[in-house]
Amino acid sequence: MKIIGFSGLDNSVAFKRSRFPHLDARAYRIAQGFDSAAALVIDGEVVAAAAEERFTREKATGAFPTNAIQFCIRRANLDLSQINYFAHGFCYEPYRTHFKSGDEYTKEQFETVYRRQVQEQLLAERLGVTDAAAKLVCVPHHTAHAASAYFPSCFPDALVLVSDGMGEAESMTVFSAKGTEFTLLKLVPAAHSLGSLYGIFTLYFGFKFNMDEYKVMGLAPHGDPDRYIEQMRSLVKLKAGGVYAIPILQRNTTQESKETYSGTLDAISEMFGPPVTPGAELEQHHIDVAAALQRVLQECLCHTLTHFAHETGHRHLCMAGGVALNCTANGEILRSGLFKDMFIQPGAGDDGSALGAALYVQHVNPGGCAPRKMLMPLWGPEFDNDWIRTEIEIPKGFREYRFEQFQDLVAVVAKRLSEGQACGWFQGRMEFGPRALGNRSILADPRPVTMRERINRIIKKREGFRPFAPAVTKEAAHTYFDIQEGQEDTFAHMLYVTDVRTEFRAALPAITHVDGSARVQTVSKEGNEQFWQLLQAFEKFSGFPILLNTSFNVQEPIVCTPNEALATFQTTDLDFVVI
């Protein structure tokens, strides 16, 4: 069986702009259907997957993923007629009556953005699919998220927590999963969204809703959570049964205030002071608010998970949805001991719902195959040596070096990195999800105390408080980081924060955050042999099998092609690029 899963809501932002053309640009991020992507699953195997932003270069776009779908088809040498199903990671049809009985805005929104026929038309118009009505399967959003994490985990059963801004009408859903069955245990409606609350505070700090929440996560360790913890706790009412309510989200009464969260923002400003102007310097009290917000997010998630772990007896946990990209909270849950094993799908945001929709359709169909355990999500485009030799455009004045043996290349790169140089590293297939995992990365020595500032300010051109992740060989992970032996694979996708062991913090300042933590990525020979070889070679020069690893981009989507890598290289202070 051949299934294309896809995500995104093509008309969502355009519809909102047409009805509210005067809003601040950041308000248009308060919408459904960003991070459009496509994934191809053939007989249970993920053959290809990529986000549309990597092709259009529009960050976090929700546009119909024409390019991503076409890539998946080309990768498998198929044509569209051979696809059995197109699975979309939203299903609004059960809510038709709700929308149709609402005001004119709600009715038009359903017709323009949400109804099934919109996706049928897009498949026909953008791709030429002639039988879209017969082949389209709409999968409920949180079910798609749940499938994206549960099936690749290969756990025999699991508690599955999905938490994000909202699905069709819910913001948090808890499932009990076994075999191919998902049993709904509880949901929290979108009106009490923990993800939306975090996003509204992201706006309050001058950042972008539904895009910059990771900045708040990185900011929080610089603050004192105790300063505002009681005020922040008053916003989230923990209730019996593992659920919660967030009354401050009900402060928006007009349609425009609902589209901007202006009522909630006003209430937050009354409590914590005026919001930050975008681009302005953050004051310490804002940073302390971020710290309190992060702690309350963690408390709320642990409240839910503690209840359902005890109620179900599940010892395995899967998580998906945008909140599952909060690596600090993930680390807290992992250390809690509530579960024996955890798995978070690396594309946990809405791009991952494309993968989940395809996997769900695969596994619920009669004759579905056994799940395949996920190693590394290296499912994007790649470029072979012949393509690179003939198509790459070397900028004028740049010196080119060629190597016949990969081992020789690795030795030169490792030596240069150990001497304080920083490089762009472009190898193999592009990663799926928001993290660069060693194939589209910027790499540097984690030892110089100035390296983090250099990369933040000169190379990445971003805020100085932002931390960088260490990539470490799987074999050495427990030596340098608070990772238990046998737990290394959990950290393979850069989704958990844990402590740098005290004795190594001074030696590794570029990847040690202000609170002594790091968002660790473990690298195995089986999962990514080329990157693993580089880490091994770097250890020979530095004594550490660890490199600073950040995404190969500058305020744009991660590079997809070799020529994009070279173009980005020219805008930075990187010393060299390896392709």
Side-chain angles (χ1 to χ4, degrees), residues 174-185:
V174 184
F175 297 97
S176 174
K178 186 172 184 178
T180 60
E181 299 293 325
F182 291 91
T183 302
L184 174 65
L185 300 179

Side-chain angles (χ1 to χ4, degrees), residues 260-465:
T260 59
Y261 285 118
S262 59
T264 301
L265 280 165
D266 288 345
I268 288 172
S269 299
E270 289 175 12
M271 184 175 290
F272 298 108
V276 180
T277 302
E281 195 76 22
L282 289 157
E283 298 179 12
Q284 186 58 48
H285 82 271
H286 294 122
I287 300 171
D288 294 338
V289 171
L293 174 68
Q294 178 64 36
R295 179 177 287 181
V296 167
L297 175 84
Q298 293 166 195
E299 290 175 351
C300 192
L301 291 173
C302 287
H303 167 73
T304 297
L305 290 170
T306 298
H307 173 82
F308 288 104
H310 293 154
E311 181 178 272
T312 64
H314 280 305
R315 297 293 292 136
H316 304 99
L317 172 67
C318 296
M319 290 175 60
V323 175
L325 290 172
N326 192 296
C327 305
T328 305
N330 297 343
E332 186 77 12
I333 294 164
L334 184 67
R335 289 188 296 275
S336 72
L338 283 169
F339 301 93
K340 177 184 176 183
D341 292 303
M342 280 181 68
F343 180 79
I344 300 172
Q345 194 265 114
D350 273 9
D351 48 353
S353 68
L355 172 65
L359 289 173
Y360 181 78
V361 171
Q362 171 76 76
H363 290 294
V364 299
N365 267 281
C369 12
R372 312 283 182 92
K373 186 173 178 61
M374 180 187 290
L375 292 177
M376 297 302 293
L378 306 178
W379 300 323
E382 66 179 334
F383 303 84
D384 62 22
N385 289 329
D386 289 338
W387 191 99
I388 292 168
R389 289 190 189 99
T390 58
E391 300 294 333
I392 202 168
E393 300 168 5
I394 304 295
K396 187 176 179 180
F398 281 68
R399 185 176 300 172
E400 179 185 2
Y401 301 86
R402 294 193 179 189
F403 296 82
E404 294 300 320
Q405 300 295 325
F406 187 73
Q407 294 90 329
D408 297 334
L409 167 66
V410 162
V412 170
V413 172
K415 184 174 187 297
R416 284 190 171 204
L417 291 171
S418 72
E419 293 169 347
Q421 296 188 30
C423 82
W425 176 259
F426 185 108
Q427 300 289 319
R429 296 187 70 176
M430 184 177 69
E431 305 93 333
F432 182 68
R435 314 286 189 220
L437 299 172
N439 281 18
R440 302 289 188 275
S441 292
I442 288 173
L443 305 174
D445 191 336
R447 297 172 299 164
V449 70
T450 57
M451 186 60 76
R452 178 165 56 192
E453 180 187 359
R454 178 194 168 195
I455 294 182
N456 265 332
R457 183 170 57 87
I458 300 176
I459 295 174
K460 294 283 282 187
K461 300 177 175 62
R462 66 184 202 179
E463 299 88 352
F465 63 80

Side-chain angles (χ1 to χ4, degrees), residues 86-387:
F86 293 89
H88 187 221
F90 281 103
C91 183
Y92 275 93
E93 291 306 312
Y95 303 93
R96 176 184 287 271
T97 301
H98 167 76
F99 280 94
K100 291 298 212 176
S101 63
D103 57 25
E104 286 305 310
Y105 181 89
T106 304
K107 292 175 183 176
E108 291 178 23
Q109 188 178 44
F110 181 82
E111 289 296 319
T112 306
V113 181
Y114 296 143
R115 69 187 179 105
R116 172 193 169 90
Q117 286 77 11
V118 172
Q119 302 308 319
E120 294 175 7
Q121 291 166 5
L122 288 166
L123 285 166
E125 294 169 4
R126 307 288 175 85
L127 295 170
V129 178
T130 58
D131 49 358
K135 289 186 174 181
L136 176 63
V137 179
C138 294
V139 180
H141 190 62
H142 278 199
T143 301
H145 272 313
S148 79
Y150 175 61
F151 289 125
S153 76
C154 281
F155 293 150
D157 60 81
L159 188 72
V160 183
L161 175 74
V162 177
S163 182
D164 58 9
M166 66 176 291
E168 291 83 6
E170 56 286 303
S171 63
M172 188 272 285
T173 307
V174 184
F175 297 97
S176 174
K178 186 172 184 178
T180 60
E181 299 293 325
F182 291 91
T183 302
L184 174 65
L185 300 179
K186 189 68 68 174
L187 61 81
V188 172
H192 296 277
S193 171
L194 189 62
S196 291
L197 180 69
Y198 205 92
I200 293 164
F201 271 99
T202 302
L203 277 175
Y204 172 78
F205 296 128
F207 304 134
K208 294 178 182 176
F209 185 96
N210 219 353
M211 182 180 281
D212 289 341
E213 284 78 1
Y214 64 96
K215 294 183 182 181
V216 180
M217 180 184 71
L219 181 67
H222 292 269
D224 174 12
D226 293 331
R227 183 177 176 187
Y228 293 111
I229 191 62
E230 293 309 319
Q231 294 97 312
M232 194 65 70
R233 282 175 177 154
S234 72
L235 302 183
V236 181
K237 309 295 185 183
L238 301 182
K239 302 169 71 175
V243 294
Y244 49 84
I246 309 178
I248 197 171
L249 296 181
Q250 316 313 309
R251 299 290 186 95
N252 311 291
T253 54
T254 67
Q255 190 61 54
E256 182 168 333
S257 67
K258 291 175 183 177
E259 296 293 329
T260 59
Y261 285 118
S262 59
T264 301
L265 280 165
D266 288 345
I268 288 172
S269 299
E270 289 175 12
M271 184 175 290
F272 298 108
V276 180
T277 302
E281 195 76 22
L282 289 157
E283 298 179 12
Q284 186 58 48
H285 82 271
H286 294 122
I287 300 171
D288 294 338
V289 171
L293 174 68
Q294 178 64 36
R295 179 177 287 181
V296 167
L297 175 84
Q298 293 166 195
E299 290 175 351
C300 192
L301 291 173
C302 287
H303 167 73
T304 297
L305 290 170
T306 298
H307 173 82
F308 288 104
H310 293 154
E311 181 178 272
T312 64
H314 280 305
R315 297 293 292 136
H316 304 99
L317 172 67
C318 296
M319 290 175 60
V323 175
L325 290 172
N326 192 296
C327 305
T328 305
N330 297 343
E332 186 77 12
I333 294 164
L334 184 67
R335 289 188 296 275
S336 72
L338 283 169
F339 301 93
K340 177 184 176 183
D341 292 303
M342 280 181 68
F343 180 79
I344 300 172
Q345 194 265 114
D350 273 9
D351 48 353
S353 68
L355 172 65
L359 289 173
Y360 181 78
V361 171
Q362 171 76 76
H363 290 294
V364 299
N365 267 281
C369 12
R372 312 283 182 92
K373 186 173 178 61
M374 180 187 290
L375 292 177
M376 297 302 293
L378 306 178
W379 300 323
E382 66 179 334
F383 303 84
D384 62 22
N385 289 329
D386 289 338
W387 191 99

Side-chain angles (χ1 to χ4, degrees), residues 456-517:
N456 265 332
R457 183 170 57 87
I458 300 176
I459 295 174
K460 294 283 282 187
K461 300 177 175 62
R462 66 184 202 179
E463 299 88 352
F465 63 80
R466 304 263 295 277
F468 289 107
V472 58
T473 58
K474 174 181 174 178
E475 298 85 348
H478 68 275
T479 299
Y480 299 99
F481 303 98
D482 186 18
I483 296 174
Q484 303 303 310
E485 291 190 57
Q487 199 180 52
E488 295 89 350
D489 288 339
T490 302
F491 288 81
H493 303 133
M494 204 189 290
L495 285 167
Y496 300 85
V497 165
T498 192
D499 284 341
V500 181
R501 295 203 183 275
T502 307
E503 61 268 34
F504 296 110
R505 292 177 186 178
L508 301 167
I511 55 86
T512 301
H513 205 18
V514 64
D515 60 350
S517 70

